[in-house]
Amino acid sequence: MGLSPEILTNLLWSGALEAFRAAADPALVAKSDRHFPQFATKNLREDGTFEIGVNNDTQVEWFTDFYQSELLKALQTASGGNDTVKAVKFVVTDVLPEPPPTPEIPPAPPPEAKAQPKPTVVSTTETVAKRRAAIAPTLHDSYTFDNFVTGPSNSYAYAAAMAVAKNPGKNAGYTPLFIWGDTGLGKTHLMEAIGHKVWNDHPGAIVCYCPMEEFINQLTNAIQNHTQLAFREKFRKVDLLLLDDIQFVMGHTSWQEELFNTFQQLTLQKKQIVLTCDVKPSALPGFESRLISRFEGGMVVEIESPSFETRYAILKSKSKALPVTVPDDVLKFIATNIRSHVRAMEGALNRAALFIEQNPAIPLSVEAAKRLLKDNIEEDSAIRNLSVDDIIKHTADHFHITVQDIKEGGRAQMLANARQMAMWLARKLTQYSLQEIGIPFNKNHATVHHAIKTIQQRLDVEKALRDDVETITLNLGRKVEELGL
Ligand code: ADP
Ligand code: MG
């Protein structure tokens, strides 16, 4: 006896979920935790199309972009690789998604979730609720204004972000808001804080957070599939567009064209745009001048490295969300010794907290913290002290060539290869901007960007290249994990 279509669909779906989780990019899996519960119906049609019912056209567009190909693979894996599922299609349906089952004993929320409630759908009418659910932005729960500690290094940026969040799109002087600064200093946090506030205070507002890499991926797909119109529609009907790390579009005319047009449209409609970048607008030479003047025509704010007081205040604030109490002198010890960026301080704080949790009977003294956090501290000072010249020297040694060969050597394949590798390593292992990395090579931003992209793509397929960069990294006294390979 064959299985009923409902049972078959359910079986397939649960198998596919497992396959999807195992195979898809972790960032996509994290996103799916919020999106999949919004699937209202699932139906395997006789022609092999697995149809997923969602609430509106926006969801159809977004979910198709995000999940169609991965879900097809997962469903095919779940069905044992035969022809049961031939396609995945998102369609609009009137059926509301089932609310998630309420567990009998609610699990204790993690401390972070307790302290920072997620943006939730608060509207009473079903249509607004449906619309809100469809467009819920994917923001980190904890990246709110409340959790952002201010000090001299970031108070100007904070004030500008708050002004924008209170009156998105209403103040021409703030469009776009351009937040720039080094890695790990809170740009994404501040940008998402704007997203949370607008989302919470303006029911009905469409908030879109998009890392620039994702914008480019979607654009590239749209160009390949001839769906640019849908792509444009999607980005041009938002009320608040948050584009993170825009330095990625450097040197690409068609991407910049699309970005510029999106800007024009949103500005005309008095919508708000917020951008983050690792350098200031005028230091983006791979960018068209009309885009740069657009950026400069808005509000440009910098986040600088925090002072000791701000670092300590950030640690105090982060430690409140932990399940254990980290002694004050340990917090001060971390704030004094870890200075490269806030993310590195968080790493040290979490390690200290874990130790306290696992050893409740042993008080964590500063002396003990010094031993416990030895690696964090060494890594931090290596991050702060490693220069691009050190990397060039080690790369040259590895290939038995001279520093001069790397810096000035012509286009001979071997030299060009070593030069690009050194640039890629500098990007991974230091905090320098693309422009700064270019200085010892006498190359501009766009060239460095191109080199990094070239190496990144080759690393996917060339094992020997991976071995080279890993060896050089170890010779520099750094960890291979830092390369993110
Ligand atoms: P960026 O986007 O500039 O690389 P992030 O926004 O990802 O940096 O910040 C890195 C980490 O540091 C995040 O966990 C963020 O919450 C934290 N952080 C940075 N600045 C602050 C701050 N002023 N207050 C609280 N947390 C901060
Ligand atoms: Mg960021």
Side-chain angles (χ1 to χ4, degrees):
M1 195 178 70
L3 294 169
S4 79
E6 291 81 39
I7 294 180
L8 181 60
T9 304
N10 286 340
L11 277 177
L12 263 178
W13 180 247
S14 54
L17 270 183
E18 228 166 88
F20 172 82
R21 285 175 183 284
D25 181 343
L28 190 67
V29 173
K31 194 165 7 198
S32 73
D33 287 341
R34 289 193 188 190
H35 288 159
F36 285 5
Q38 296 173 34
F39 295 172
T41 57
K42 290 161 212 113
N43 181 17
L44 178 62
R45 295 164 52 111
E46 274 175 19
D47 66 357
T49 305
F50 196 92
E51 225 173 52
I52 299 174
V54 293
N55 290 315
N56 54 36
D57 291 335
T58 318
Q59 277 193 335
V60 170
E61 275 172 35
W62 281 87
F63 291 167
T64 306
D65 258 3
F66 289 154
Y67 304 114
Q68 189 179 43
S69 59
E70 286 296 327
L71 276 182
L72 178 60
K73 274 190 255 165
L75 282 157
Q76 287 175 336
T77 308
S79 60
N82 57 30
D83 255 0
T84 316
V85 185
K86 296 201 182 73
V88 169
K89 196 169 170 210
F90 288 91
V91 294
V92 177
T93 168
D94 278 340
V95 184
L96 273 176
E98 278 182 27
T102 324
E104 277 168 28
I105 306 165
E112 195 186 60
K114 237 189 271 169
Q116 301 103 21
K118 283 182 189 174
T120 42
V121 179
V122 285
S123 16
T124 45
T125 68
E126 184 189 286
T127 40
V128 175
K130 273 165 79 173
R131 178 156 178 262
R132 298 277 281 169
I135 54 176
T138 41
L139 302 172
H140 290 86
D141 295 341
S142 63
Y143 286 7
T144 59
F145 279 117
D146 282 350
N147 291 334
F148 192 83
V149 176
T150 56
S153 56
N154 59 27
S155 56
Y156 188 51
Y158 178 92
M162 188 53 105
V164 160
K166 281 186 179 152
N167 277 315
K170 295 291 179 306
N171 186 340
Y174 284 81
T175 293
L177 171 63
F178 189 104
I179 305 173
W180 70 278
D182 267 340
T183 313
L185 295 183
K187 299 183 296 294
T188 300
H189 185 141
L190 205 50
M191 168 179 254
E192 292 198 17
I194 301 174
H196 278 290
K197 187 162 170 60
V198 171
W199 172 256
N200 286 326
D201 295 356
H202 301 261
I206 304 184
V207 173
C208 171
Y209 167 82
C210 188
M212 201 62 211
E213 270 178 301
E214 194 167 315
F215 184 88
I216 294 166
N217 283 342
Q218 291 193 21
L219 176 61
T220 316
N221 283 342
I223 293 171
Q224 272 165 9
N225 304 329
H226 307 288
T227 52
Q228 279 121 305
L229 216 60
F231 172 87
R232 288 190 186 129
E233 269 286 288
K234 176 162 67 187
F235 282 100
R236 292 177 195 179
K237 67 182 175 208
V238 303
D239 298 297
L240 171 65
L241 179 60
L242 308 168
L243 282 179
D244 207 359
D245 288 322
I246 60 149
Q247 63 273 11
F248 277 104
V249 288
M250 194 161 26
H252 282 264
T253 326
S254 63
W255 297 348
Q256 292 187 23
E257 174 81 24
E258 199 61 48
L259 187 62
F260 184 78
N261 292 335
T262 307
F263 259 60
Q264 291 286 72
Q265 286 296 324
L266 290 177
T267 317
L268 275 176
Q269 300 169 54
K270 300 214 173 344
K271 306 297 190 193
Q272 182 67 49
I273 303 160
V274 182
L275 308 164
T276 69
C277 187
D278 64 358
V279 289
K280 60 185 165 196
S282 59
L284 282 169
F287 270 67
E288 289 177 28
S289 55
R290 60 179 181 163
L291 262 178
I292 294 184
S293 40
R294 266 284 145 136
F295 300 155
E296 287 176 333
M299 171 65 80
V300 179
V301 290
E302 182 184 1
I303 301 190
E304 293 173 79
S305 290
S307 62
F308 168 78
E309 283 76 20
T310 311
R311 292 201 300 275
Y312 172 57
I314 291 174
L315 282 168
K316 262 206 127 28
S317 151
K318 298 264 174 209
S319 68
K320 283 197 196 115
L322 295 170
V324 295
T325 307
V326 180
D328 209 49
D329 50 2
V330 172
L331 295 181
K332 286 198 176 122
F333 174 79
I334 297 174
T336 309
N337 289 284
I338 307 236
R339 305 196 296 272
S340 61
H341 48 73
V342 179
R343 203 176 286 126
M345 287 197 318
E346 280 188 275
L349 175 67
N350 290 336
R351 183 178 265 190
L354 190 68
F355 177 88
I356 295 170
E357 198 174 2
Q358 290 174 345
N359 304 281
I362 310 173
L364 183 62
S365 66
V366 172
E367 264 317 298
K370 204 185 231 170
R371 284 193 299 275
L372 179 72
L373 303 176
K374 191 168 159 281
D375 287 353
N376 300 61
I377 292 165
E378 275 175 8
E379 201 173 296
D380 190 74
S381 80
I383 288 174
R384 284 186 281 119
N385 296 333
L386 187 65
S387 69
V388 180
D389 277 325
D390 293 333
I391 293 175
I392 295 177
K393 164 104 185 45
H394 278 81
T395 310
D397 288 351
H398 180 78
F399 290 111
H400 308 291
I401 53 178
T402 67
V403 166
Q404 215 61 9
D405 286 335
I406 289 207
K407 284 192 178 178
E408 290 167 15
R411 296 179 164 269
Q413 193 53 45
M414 206 281 244
L415 301 183
N417 186 35
R419 184 162 56 235
Q420 291 189 330
M421 231 185 259
M423 290 179 184
W424 182 87
L425 282 164
R427 188 61 174 161
K428 291 287 165 181
L429 300 175
T430 72
Q431 296 290 300
Y432 295 112
S433 67
L434 296 178
Q435 193 186 22
E436 288 164 335
I437 293 172
I439 294 169
F441 300 94
N442 206 9
K443 297 282 186 228
N444 70 17
H445 228 86
T447 310
V448 177
H449 175 73
H450 172 75
I452 293 168
K453 219 176 109 209
T454 307
I455 295 292
Q456 193 65 47
Q457 283 166 353
R458 287 179 50 203
L459 280 167
D460 288 340
V461 282
E462 292 179 41
K463 164 96 178 59
L465 189 67
R466 283 175 90 106
D467 292 344
D468 284 330
V469 292
E470 290 185 359
T471 309
I472 300 169
T473 303
L474 292 171
N475 290 341
L476 283 161
R478 300 289 290 270
K479 295 205 188 88
V480 168
E481 292 79 48
E482 292 176 63
L483 301 176
L485 289 173

